[in-house]
Amino acid sequence: EAAQQRRSRHRRATFSKSVELHDKVIAYYLNIKHYQ
């Protein structure tokens, strides 16, 4: 059970990192579009 909790915590951390990256990519893309 403890191992399962660790795995789900890791999944959540990985997920939040990819969401963060996704937000940065969108902001970067919008900046490019805006300044063209």
Side-chain angles (χ1 to χ4, degrees):
E1 189 182 326
Q4 188 126 23
Q5 278 180 329
R6 268 200 302 275
R7 258 201 305 278
S8 71
R9 225 190 350 261
H10 178 257
R11 236 200 322 279
R12 267 198 299 278
T14 304
F15 176 73
S16 63
K17 270 193 207 105
S18 65
V19 167
E20 214 174 292
L21 182 63
H22 185 249
D23 284 349
K24 282 179 188 150
V25 168
I26 288 178
Y28 177 69
Y29 177 77
L30 289 177
N31 280 334
I32 289 172
K33 283 285 181 201
H34 184 257
Y35 289 118
Q36 263 177 0

